[in-house]
Coordinates of all heavy atoms in Angstrom, one line a residue:
M1275 N 29.6 -52.0 51.8 CA 28.2 -51.9 52.1 C 27.3 -53.2 51.7 O 27.6 -53.6 50.7 CB 27.5 -50.8 51.2 CG 26.1 -50.2 51.7 SD 25.6 -48.9 50.8 CE 25.2 -49.7 49.2
S1276 N 26.5 -53.7 52.7 CA 25.9 -54.9 52.4 C 24.6 -54.6 51.7 O 24.1 -53.5 51.6 CB 25.5 -55.6 53.6 OG 24.7 -54.8 54.5
K1277 N 24.2 -55.6 50.9 CA 23.0 -55.4 50.0 C 21.7 -55.3 51.0 O 21.5 -56.1 51.8 CB 22.9 -56.7 49.2 CG 21.8 -56.7 48.1 CD 22.0 -55.7 47.2 CE 20.9 -55.7 46.1 NZ 20.9 -54.7 45.1
T1278 N 20.9 -54.3 50.5 CA 19.8 -54.2 51.3 C 18.4 -54.5 50.7 O 17.4 -54.2 51.2 CB 19.6 -52.7 51.7 OG1 19.7 -51.8 50.6 CG2 20.9 -52.3 52.8
W1279 N 18.5 -55.0 49.4 CA 17.3 -55.4 48.8 C 17.7 -56.7 47.9 O 18.4 -56.5 47.0 CB 16.8 -54.3 47.9 CG 15.5 -54.4 47.0 CD1 15.4 -55.2 45.9 CD2 14.3 -54.2 47.4 NE1 14.1 -55.3 45.6 CE2 13.4 -54.6 46.4 CE3 13.7 -53.3 48.4 CZ2 11.9 -54.3 46.4 CZ3 12.3 -53.1 48.5 CH2 11.5 -53.6 47.4
Y1280 N 16.9 -57.7 48.1 CA 17.1 -58.9 47.3 C 15.8 -59.9 47.5 O 15.3 -59.8 48.7 CB 18.4 -59.6 47.5 CG 18.7 -59.9 49.0 CD1 18.4 -61.2 49.5 CD2 19.4 -59.0 49.7 CE1 18.7 -61.4 50.8 CE2 19.6 -59.3 51.1 CZ 19.4 -60.6 51.6 OH 19.7 -60.9 52.9
P1281 N 15.6 -60.7 46.6 CA 14.5 -61.6 46.8 C 15.0 -62.9 47.6 O 16.1 -63.3 47.6 CB 14.2 -62.1 45.3 CG 15.6 -61.9 44.6 CD 16.2 -60.8 45.3
V1282 N 13.9 -63.4 48.4 CA 13.9 -64.5 49.1 C 12.9 -65.5 48.7 O 11.6 -65.0 48.6 CB 14.0 -64.3 50.6 CG1 14.0 -65.6 51.4 CG2 15.1 -63.4 51.0
I1283 N 13.1 -66.8 48.4 CA 12.1 -67.7 48.0 C 11.7 -68.5 49.2 O 12.5 -69.1 50.0 CB 12.7 -68.7 46.9 CG1 13.1 -67.9 45.6 CG2 11.7 -69.8 46.4 CD1 13.9 -68.7 44.7
N1284 N 10.3 -68.5 49.4 CA 9.9 -69.4 50.3 C 9.6 -70.8 49.8 O 8.8 -71.0 48.8 CB 8.3 -68.8 50.6 CG 7.6 -69.7 51.7 OD1 7.9 -70.9 51.8 ND2 6.8 -69.0 52.5
K1285 N 10.5 -71.6 50.3 CA 10.6 -73.0 49.6 C 9.3 -73.7 49.9 O 9.0 -74.8 49.2 CB 11.9 -73.8 50.1 CG 13.2 -73.1 49.9 CD 13.5 -73.2 48.3 CE 14.8 -72.8 48.0 NZ 15.1 -72.8 46.6
E1286 N 8.6 -73.4 50.9 CA 7.3 -74.1 51.2 C 6.3 -73.8 50.2 O 5.5 -74.7 49.8 CB 6.8 -73.6 52.6 CG 7.6 -73.9 53.7 CD 7.8 -75.4 54.1 OE1 6.6 -75.9 54.1 OE2 8.8 -75.9 54.3
K1287 N 6.3 -72.6 49.6 CA 5.3 -72.3 48.5 C 5.8 -72.6 47.2 O 5.0 -72.8 46.3 CB 5.1 -70.8 48.7 CG 4.3 -70.3 49.9 CD 4.0 -68.9 49.7 CE 3.3 -68.3 50.9 NZ 3.0 -66.8 50.8
C1288 N 7.1 -72.5 46.9 CA 7.7 -72.7 45.5 C 7.3 -73.9 44.9 O 7.5 -75.0 45.5 CB 9.2 -72.4 45.7 SG 9.9 -72.6 44.0
T1289 N 6.8 -73.8 43.6 CA 6.5 -75.0 42.8 C 7.6 -75.3 41.8 O 7.4 -76.3 41.0 CB 5.3 -74.9 42.1 OG1 5.4 -73.7 41.3 CG2 4.0 -74.5 43.1
E1290 N 8.8 -74.7 41.9 CA 9.8 -74.9 41.1 C 9.5 -74.8 39.5 O 10.1 -75.4 38.7 CB 10.5 -76.3 41.3 CG 10.9 -76.3 42.7 CD 11.4 -77.7 43.1 OE1 11.5 -78.6 42.2 OE2 11.9 -77.9 44.3
C1291 N 8.7 -73.7 39.3 CA 8.4 -73.4 37.8 C 9.4 -72.7 37.0 O 9.4 -72.5 35.8 CB 7.1 -72.7 37.8 SG 7.3 -70.9 38.4
L1292 N 10.4 -72.1 37.8 CA 11.6 -71.4 37.3 C 11.2 -70.1 36.5 O 12.0 -69.6 35.7 CB 12.4 -72.3 36.4 CG 12.9 -73.6 37.1 CD1 13.8 -74.4 36.0 CD2 13.7 -73.2 38.3
I1293 N 9.9 -69.6 36.6 CA 9.6 -68.4 36.0 C 10.6 -67.2 36.5 O 11.1 -66.4 35.7 CB 8.3 -68.0 36.3 CG1 7.3 -69.0 35.6 CG2 7.9 -66.5 35.9 CD1 5.8 -68.8 35.7
C1294 N 10.8 -67.2 37.8 CA 11.7 -66.1 38.3 C 13.2 -66.3 37.6 O 13.7 -65.2 37.4 CB 11.8 -66.3 39.9 SG 12.3 -67.9 40.4
V1295 N 13.7 -67.5 37.6 CA 14.9 -67.6 37.0 C 15.0 -67.0 35.6 O 15.9 -66.3 35.2 CB 15.4 -69.1 36.9 CG1 16.7 -69.2 36.3 CG2 15.4 -69.7 38.4
N1296 N 14.0 -67.3 34.9 CA 14.0 -66.9 33.4 C 13.6 -65.4 33.2 O 13.8 -64.8 32.3 CB 13.0 -67.8 32.6 CG 13.5 -69.3 32.6 OD1 14.6 -69.5 32.3 ND2 12.5 -70.2 32.8
H1297 N 12.9 -65.0 34.2 CA 12.5 -63.5 34.1 C 13.5 -62.5 34.5 O 13.6 -61.4 33.7 CB 11.3 -63.3 35.1 CG 10.7 -61.9 35.0 ND1 10.0 -61.4 33.9 CD2 10.7 -60.9 36.0 CE1 9.7 -60.3 34.2 NE2 10.0 -59.9 35.4
C1298 N 14.4 -62.7 35.4 CA 15.3 -61.7 35.9 C 16.5 -61.7 34.9 O 17.1 -62.6 34.5 CB 15.9 -62.1 37.2 SG 17.0 -60.8 37.8
K1299 N 16.7 -60.4 34.4 CA 17.8 -60.2 33.2 C 19.0 -59.7 34.0 O 19.9 -59.3 33.3 CB 17.3 -59.2 32.3 CG 15.9 -59.6 31.6 CD 16.0 -60.9 30.9 CE 14.7 -61.3 30.2 NZ 14.6 -62.7 29.7
H1300 N 19.0 -59.8 35.4 CA 20.2 -59.2 36.1 C 21.0 -60.1 36.7 O 22.0 -60.0 37.4 CB 19.7 -58.2 37.2 CG 19.0 -57.0 36.5 ND1 19.6 -55.9 35.9 CD2 17.7 -56.8 36.4 CE1 18.7 -55.1 35.5 NE2 17.5 -55.5 35.7
G1301 N 20.7 -61.4 36.3 CA 21.6 -62.5 36.8 C 21.5 -62.8 38.3 O 22.4 -63.4 38.9
A1302 N 20.3 -62.6 39.0 CA 20.3 -62.6 40.4 C 20.0 -64.2 40.6 O 20.4 -64.7 41.8 CB 19.0 -61.9 41.0
Y1303 N 19.4 -64.8 39.7 CA 18.9 -66.3 39.9 C 19.9 -67.3 39.2 O 20.4 -66.8 38.1 CB 17.6 -66.5 39.4 CG 16.5 -65.8 40.3 CD1 16.0 -64.5 40.2 CD2 16.0 -66.6 41.5 CE1 15.0 -64.1 40.9 CE2 15.0 -66.0 42.2 CZ 14.5 -64.8 42.0 OH 13.5 -64.3 42.7
E1304 N 19.8 -68.4 39.6 CA 20.4 -69.6 38.8 C 19.5 -70.8 39.2 O 19.1 -71.0 40.2 CB 21.8 -69.7 39.0 CG 22.5 -70.7 38.1 CD 23.9 -70.7 38.2 OE1 24.7 -69.7 38.0 OE2 24.5 -71.7 38.8
E1305 N 19.3 -71.6 38.0 CA 18.8 -72.9 38.2 C 19.7 -73.9 38.4 O 20.8 -74.0 37.7 CB 17.9 -73.2 37.0 CG 17.3 -74.5 36.9 CD 18.1 -75.6 36.3 OE1 18.8 -75.3 35.3 OE2 18.1 -76.8 36.8
R1306 N 19.6 -74.8 39.5 CA 20.3 -75.8 39.8 C 19.6 -77.1 40.2 O 18.7 -77.0 40.9 CB 21.4 -75.5 40.9 CG 22.3 -74.5 40.6 CD 23.3 -74.1 41.8 NE 24.2 -73.0 41.4 CZ 24.9 -72.3 42.3 NH1 24.9 -72.6 43.6 NH2 25.8 -71.4 41.8
D1307 N 19.7 -78.1 39.4 CA 19.0 -79.3 39.6 C 17.4 -79.1 39.5 O 16.7 -79.6 40.3 CB 19.4 -79.9 40.9 CG 20.8 -80.5 40.8 OD1 21.3 -80.8 39.7 OD2 21.4 -80.4 41.9
G1308 N 17.0 -78.1 38.7 CA 15.7 -77.9 38.5 C 15.0 -76.9 39.5 O 13.8 -76.8 39.6
K1309 N 15.8 -76.5 40.5 CA 15.4 -75.5 41.4 C 15.9 -74.1 41.3 O 17.0 -74.0 40.8 CB 15.7 -76.1 42.8 CG 15.2 -77.5 43.1 CD 15.8 -77.9 44.5 CE 15.5 -79.4 44.8 NZ 14.0 -79.8 44.6
P1310 N 15.2 -73.1 41.7 CA 15.6 -71.8 41.6 C 16.5 -71.5 42.9 O 16.1 -71.6 44.0 CB 14.4 -70.9 41.6 CG 13.4 -71.7 42.4 CD 13.8 -73.2 42.2
Y1311 N 17.6 -70.8 42.6 CA 18.3 -70.1 43.7 C 18.8 -68.8 43.4 O 19.0 -68.4 42.2 CB 19.7 -71.0 43.9 CG 19.5 -72.3 44.4 CD1 19.3 -73.4 43.5 CD2 19.3 -72.6 45.7 CE1 19.0 -74.8 44.0 CE2 19.2 -73.9 46.2 CZ 19.0 -75.0 45.3 OH 18.7 -76.2 45.7
V1312 N 18.7 -67.9 44.5 CA 19.3 -66.5 44.4 C 20.7 -66.5 44.7 O 21.2 -66.6 45.9 CB 18.5 -65.6 45.4 CG1 19.0 -64.2 45.2 CG2 17.1 -65.7 45.2
I1313 N 21.5 -66.6 43.6 CA 22.9 -66.8 43.8 C 23.7 -65.6 43.7 O 24.8 -65.5 44.3 CB 23.5 -67.8 42.7 CG1 23.2 -67.1 41.3 CG2 23.0 -69.2 42.8 CD1 24.2 -67.6 40.2
N1314 N 23.0 -64.4 43.2 CA 23.7 -63.2 43.1 C 22.8 -62.2 43.6 O 22.3 -61.2 42.8 CB 24.2 -62.8 41.6 CG 25.3 -63.7 41.3 OD1 26.3 -63.9 41.8 ND2 25.1 -64.3 40.0
P1315 N 22.5 -62.1 45.0 CA 21.6 -61.1 45.5 C 22.1 -59.6 45.2 O 21.2 -58.8 45.1 CB 21.5 -61.4 47.0 CG 22.7 -62.3 47.2 CD 23.0 -63.0 45.9
E1316 N 23.3 -59.6 45.1 CA 23.8 -58.1 44.9 C 23.5 -57.6 43.5 O 23.6 -56.3 43.3 CB 25.4 -58.1 45.0 CG 26.2 -58.9 44.0 CD 26.3 -60.4 44.2 OE1 25.7 -60.9 45.1 OE2 27.0 -61.0 43.5
N1317 N 23.0 -58.5 42.6 CA 22.8 -58.1 41.2 C 21.2 -57.5 41.2 O 20.8 -57.0 40.3 CB 22.8 -59.2 40.3 CG 24.1 -59.5 39.9 OD1 25.1 -59.0 40.5 ND2 24.3 -60.4 38.8
C1318 N 20.5 -58.0 42.3 CA 19.1 -57.4 42.3 C 19.0 -55.9 42.4 O 19.8 -55.3 43.0 CB 18.4 -58.0 43.5 SG 16.5 -57.6 43.6
V1319 N 18.1 -55.4 41.5 CA 17.8 -53.9 41.4 C 17.0 -53.3 42.5 O 15.9 -53.7 42.7 CB 17.2 -53.5 40.0 CG1 17.1 -52.0 40.0 CG2 18.1 -54.1 38.9
H1320 N 17.6 -52.5 43.3 CA 16.8 -52.0 44.4 C 15.5 -51.4 44.1 O 15.3 -50.6 43.1 CB 17.6 -50.9 45.1 CG 17.0 -50.6 46.5 ND1 17.6 -51.1 47.7 CD2 16.1 -49.7 46.9 CE1 16.9 -50.6 48.6 NE2 16.0 -49.8 48.3
G1321 N 14.4 -52.0 44.8 CA 13.0 -51.5 44.5 C 12.4 -52.3 43.4 O 11.1 -52.2 43.3
C1322 N 13.0 -53.2 42.8 CA 12.4 -54.0 41.7 C 11.5 -55.1 42.4 O 12.0 -55.7 43.3 CB 13.4 -54.6 40.8 SG 12.6 -55.7 39.4
H1323 N 10.4 -55.3 41.8 CA 9.4 -56.4 42.3 C 9.1 -57.3 41.2 O 8.2 -58.0 41.1 CB 8.1 -55.9 42.9 CG 8.2 -55.2 44.1 ND1 8.4 -53.8 44.2 CD2 8.1 -55.5 45.5 CE1 8.4 -53.5 45.4 NE2 8.3 -54.5 46.2
G1324 N 10.1 -57.3 40.1 CA 9.7 -58.1 38.9 C 9.4 -59.5 39.1 O 8.4 -60.2 38.7
C1325 N 10.3 -60.2 39.6 CA 10.2 -61.7 39.8 C 9.0 -62.0 40.8 O 8.3 -62.9 40.5 CB 11.4 -62.4 40.1 SG 12.3 -61.7 41.7
G1326 N 8.8 -61.2 41.8 CA 7.7 -61.3 42.7 C 6.5 -61.2 42.0 O 5.4 -61.8 42.3
N1327 N 6.4 -60.2 41.1 CA 5.2 -60.0 40.3 C 4.8 -61.2 39.4 O 3.6 -61.5 39.1 CB 5.2 -58.7 39.5 CG 5.1 -57.4 40.4 OD1 4.5 -57.5 41.4 ND2 5.6 -56.3 39.8
K1328 N 5.9 -61.8 39.0 CA 5.6 -62.9 38.1 C 5.4 -64.3 38.7 O 4.9 -65.3 38.2 CB 6.8 -63.1 37.1 CG 7.0 -62.0 36.2 CD 5.9 -61.9 35.2 CE 6.1 -60.7 34.2 NZ 5.1 -60.6 33.2
C1329 N 5.8 -64.5 39.9 CA 5.7 -65.7 40.6 C 4.3 -66.1 40.8 O 3.6 -65.3 41.4 CB 6.5 -65.8 42.0 SG 6.1 -67.2 42.9
P1330 N 3.8 -67.2 40.2 CA 2.4 -67.5 40.3 C 1.8 -68.0 41.6 O 0.7 -68.0 41.9 CB 2.2 -68.7 39.3 CG 3.6 -69.3 39.2 CD 4.6 -68.2 39.5
V1331 N 2.7 -68.2 42.6 CA 2.1 -68.7 43.9 C 2.5 -67.8 45.0 O 2.3 -68.1 46.1 CB 2.6 -70.1 44.2 CG1 2.1 -71.1 43.2 CG2 4.3 -70.2 44.2
G1332 N 3.2 -66.6 44.7 CA 3.5 -65.6 45.8 C 4.6 -66.0 46.6 O 4.6 -65.8 47.8
A1333 N 5.6 -66.8 46.2 CA 6.7 -67.4 46.9 C 7.9 -66.4 47.1 O 8.7 -66.8 47.9 CB 7.2 -68.7 46.3
I1334 N 7.8 -65.4 46.5 CA 8.9 -64.4 46.6 C 8.7 -63.1 47.3 O 7.7 -62.5 47.2 CB 9.4 -64.0 45.2 CG1 9.8 -65.2 44.3 CG2 10.6 -62.9 45.3 CD1 10.1 -64.9 42.9
E1335 N 9.5 -62.9 48.3 CA 9.5 -61.7 49.2 C 10.9 -61.0 49.1 O 11.8 -61.6 48.6 CB 9.0 -62.0 50.6 CG 7.7 -62.5 50.6 CD 7.1 -62.7 52.1 OE1 7.9 -62.4 52.9 OE2 5.9 -63.2 52.2
Y1336 N 10.9 -59.9 49.6 CA 12.2 -59.1 49.3 C 12.7 -58.4 50.8 O 12.0 -57.8 51.5 CB 11.9 -57.8 48.6 CG 11.6 -58.2 47.2 CD1 10.2 -58.4 46.8 CD2 12.5 -58.6 46.3 CE1 9.9 -58.9 45.5 CE2 12.2 -59.0 44.9 CZ 10.9 -59.2 44.6 OH 10.6 -59.7 43.4
V1337 N 13.9 -58.9 51.0 CA 14.7 -58.4 52.1 C 14.8 -56.9 51.8 O 15.1 -56.5 50.7 CB 16.0 -58.9 52.2 CG1 16.9 -58.1 53.2 CG2 16.0 -60.3 52.7
G1338 N 14.4 -56.0 52.9 CA 14.5 -54.5 52.7 C 13.2 -53.9 52.2 O 13.1 -52.7 52.1
D1339 N 12.2 -54.7 52.0 CA 10.9 -54.2 51.4 C 10.0 -53.5 52.4 O 9.5 -54.3 53.3 CB 10.2 -55.1 50.6 CG 9.0 -54.6 49.7 OD1 8.8 -53.3 49.9 OD2 8.4 -55.4 49.1
T1340 N 9.9 -52.2 52.4 CA 9.0 -51.6 53.4 C 7.9 -51.0 52.8 O 7.1 -50.2 53.4 CB 9.7 -50.5 54.1 OG1 10.3 -49.5 53.3 CG2 11.0 -51.1 55.1
T1341 N 7.7 -51.3 51.4 CA 6.5 -50.8 50.7 C 5.2 -51.6 51.1 O 5.5 -52.7 51.8 CB 6.6 -50.9 49.2 OG1 6.7 -52.3 48.7 CG2 7.9 -50.3 48.8
D1342 N 4.1 -51.4 50.6 CA 2.9 -52.1 50.8 C 2.7 -53.1 49.7 O 1.5 -53.6 49.5 CB 1.7 -51.2 51.1 CG 1.4 -50.4 49.9 OD1 2.2 -50.3 48.9 OD2 0.4 -49.7 49.9
W1343 N 3.7 -53.5 49.0 CA 3.6 -54.4 47.9 C 3.1 -55.7 48.4 O 3.6 -56.2 49.6 CB 4.9 -54.5 47.3 CG 5.0 -55.5 46.1 CD1 4.4 -55.4 44.8 CD2 5.4 -56.9 46.3 NE1 4.8 -56.6 44.2 CE2 5.3 -57.5 45.0 CE3 6.1 -57.7 47.3 CZ2 5.7 -58.7 44.7 CZ3 6.6 -59.0 47.0 CH2 6.3 -59.6 45.7
I1344 N 2.2 -56.5 47.8 CA 1.8 -57.8 48.2 C 2.1 -58.7 47.1 O 1.7 -58.6 45.9 CB 0.2 -57.6 48.4 CG1 0.0 -56.8 49.5 CG2 -0.2 -59.2 48.8 CD1 -1.5 -56.4 49.6
P1345 N 2.8 -59.8 47.4 CA 3.1 -60.7 46.3 C 1.8 -61.3 45.7 O 1.0 -61.6 46.4 CB 3.8 -61.9 47.1 CG 4.2 -61.3 48.3 CD 3.3 -60.2 48.7
P1346 N 1.8 -61.5 44.4 CA 0.7 -62.2 43.7 C 0.6 -63.7 44.3 O 1.6 -64.1 44.9 CB 1.0 -62.3 42.3 CG 2.0 -61.1 42.3 CD 2.8 -61.1 43.5
N1347 N -0.4 -64.4 44.3 CA -1.6 -64.2 43.4 C -2.4 -62.9 43.7 O -3.0 -62.4 42.8 CB -2.6 -65.3 43.8 CG -1.9 -66.5 43.5 OD1 -0.9 -66.7 42.8 ND2 -2.5 -67.6 44.0
G1348 N -2.2 -62.2 44.8 CA -2.9 -61.0 44.9 C -2.6 -59.8 44.0 O -2.6 -58.7 44.5
K1349 N -2.1 -60.1 42.9 CA -1.5 -59.4 42.0 C -1.4 -57.8 42.2 O -2.5 -57.1 42.0 CB -2.2 -59.4 40.6 CG -2.1 -60.9 40.1 CD -2.4 -61.1 38.6 CE -2.2 -62.4 38.3 NZ -2.3 -62.8 37.0
K1350 N -0.4 -57.4 42.6 CA -0.2 -55.8 42.8 C 0.9 -55.5 41.8 O 2.1 -55.8 42.2 CB 0.1 -55.6 44.2 CG 0.1 -54.1 44.5 CD 0.1 -53.9 46.0 CE 0.2 -52.4 46.2 NZ 0.0 -52.0 47.5
D1351 N 0.7 -54.8 40.7 CA 1.7 -54.4 39.8 C 1.9 -53.0 39.6 O 2.6 -52.6 38.8 CB 1.4 -55.2 38.6 CG 0.1 -54.7 38.0 OD1 -0.5 -53.8 38.6 OD2 -0.3 -55.3 36.9
N1352 N 1.4 -52.3 40.6 CA 1.7 -50.8 40.5 C 2.9 -50.4 41.1 O 3.4 -49.2 40.8 CB 0.4 -50.0 41.1 CG 0.3 -50.4 42.6 OD1 0.6 -51.5 43.0 ND2 -0.1 -49.3 43.3
I1353 N 3.6 -51.1 41.8 CA 4.9 -50.8 42.3 C 6.0 -51.7 41.5 O 6.1 -52.7 42.0 CB 5.1 -50.9 43.7 CG1 4.0 -50.1 44.5 CG2 6.5 -50.4 44.3 CD1 3.9 -50.3 46.0
S1354 N 6.4 -51.2 40.5 CA 7.1 -52.2 39.7 C 8.2 -51.5 39.0 O 9.0 -52.2 38.1 CB 6.3 -52.8 38.6 OG 5.7 -51.8 37.8
D1355 N 8.5 -50.1 39.2 CA 9.6 -49.6 38.4 C 10.9 -49.6 39.1 O 11.1 -48.8 40.0 CB 9.1 -48.1 38.1 CG 10.1 -47.3 37.3 OD1 11.1 -48.0 36.9 OD2 10.0 -46.2 37.0
C1356 N 11.7 -50.4 38.8 CA 13.1 -50.5 39.4 C 14.1 -49.6 38.9 O 15.1 -49.3 39.5 CB 13.7 -52.0 39.3 SG 14.3 -52.4 37.6
G1357 N 13.8 -49.0 37.8 CA 14.5 -47.9 37.2 C 15.8 -48.3 36.6 O 16.7 -47.7 36.2
C1358 N 15.8 -49.7 36.2 CA 16.9 -50.3 35.5 C 17.0 -49.8 34.1 O 18.0 -50.0 33.3 CB 17.0 -51.7 35.5 SG 15.8 -52.7 34.4
G1359 N 15.9 -49.4 33.6 CA 15.9 -48.8 32.2 C 15.6 -49.9 31.2 O 15.5 -49.6 30.0
G1360 N 15.6 -51.1 31.5 CA 15.5 -52.2 30.6 C 14.1 -52.5 30.2 O 13.9 -52.9 28.9
G1361 N 13.2 -52.1 31.0 CA 11.7 -52.2 30.7 C 11.3 -53.7 30.6 O 10.2 -53.9 30.2
Y1362 N 12.1 -54.5 31.0 CA 11.7 -56.0 30.9 C 11.7 -56.7 32.1 O 11.0 -57.7 32.3 CB 12.6 -56.7 29.9 CG 14.0 -56.4 30.0 CD1 14.8 -56.5 31.1 CD2 14.6 -55.9 28.9 CE1 16.1 -56.2 31.2 CE2 16.0 -55.5 28.8 CZ 16.8 -55.7 30.1 OH 18.1 -55.4 30.2
C1363 N 12.3 -56.3 33.1 CA 12.5 -57.2 34.4 C 11.3 -56.7 35.5 O 11.1 -57.6 36.3 CB 13.8 -57.0 35.1 SG 14.0 -55.5 36.0
C1364 N 10.7 -55.7 35.2 CA 9.9 -55.2 36.3 C 8.3 -55.5 36.2 O 7.6 -55.3 37.1 CB 10.0 -53.7 36.5 SG 11.7 -53.2 36.6
G1365 N 8.0 -55.8 35.0 CA 6.5 -56.0 34.8 C 5.8 -57.1 35.5 O 6.4 -58.0 36.0
Ligands
SF4_821 S1 13.4 -58.1 41.8 FE1 13.9 -57.6 39.6 S2 16.1 -57.3 39.6 FE2 15.6 -58.4 41.6 S3 15.9 -60.6 41.2 FE3 13.7 -60.1 40.8 S4 13.6 -59.5 38.6 FE4 15.7 -59.6 39.2
SF4_822 S1 8.4 -68.1 40.1 FE1 7.8 -68.7 42.2 S2 7.1 -70.8 42.2 FE2 8.3 -70.4 40.3 S3 10.3 -71.0 40.8 FE3 10.3 -68.9 41.2 S4 9.9 -68.8 43.4 FE4 9.3 -70.8 42.7

């Protein structure tokens, strides 16, 4: 089964702050040469918007997202429960 939910970085918007890399506790990201990469999309928790909520420039969107979530700056944090139980990746 192919992965149906994972983050995609808009390189035009990304400022390479690496907040997303440091935020995700599921190992979806890796920093290489100071840039963020989604190296393990299969690790992303379905429904989680954690890194997208943290990205200061709204550069992260999600494959498979049919919700009305809007990436910040337009801060929308009411859809954030990925159900991973960790309590740290989704805020
Ligand atoms: S959406 Fe959540 S689980 Fe997926 S990469 Fe971002 S922080 Fe990690
Ligand atoms: S949080 Fe946003 S701006 Fe920062 S590295 Fe990740 S995608 Fe780029």
Side-chain angles (χ1 to χ4, degrees):
M1275 190 176 75
S1276 61
K1277 182 68 175 172
T1278 56
W1279 180 281
Y1280 54 90
V1282 176
I1283 298 170
N1284 183 329
K1285 297 291 186 184
E1286 300 289 317
K1287 292 184 181 178
C1288 178
T1289 61
E1290 301 173 0
C1291 71
L1292 301 179
I1293 287 173
C1294 53
V1295 177
N1296 294 319
H1297 182 67
C1298 181
K1299 306 304 182 192
H1300 299 279
Y1303 286 93
E1304 191 170 290
E1305 175 267 327
R1306 292 178 181 169
D1307 296 326
K1309 301 178 191 300
Y1311 291 94
V1312 181
I1313 58 156
N1314 292 311
E1316 68 278 7
N1317 284 13
C1318 182
V1319 180
H1320 193 95
C1322 181
H1323 291 88
C1325 51
N1327 283 337
K1328 293 294 183 185
C1329 176
V1331 295
I1334 297 172
E1335 296 185 2
Y1336 297 91
V1337 169
D1339 191 357
T1340 58
T1341 71
D1342 60 354
W1343 178 80
I1344 300 167
N1347 307 340
K1349 296 196 179 188
K1350 183 166 182 179
D1351 56 7
N1352 59 327
I1353 302 171
S1354 61
D1355 183 6
C1356 74
C1358 77
Y1362 39 59
C1363 76
C1364 309

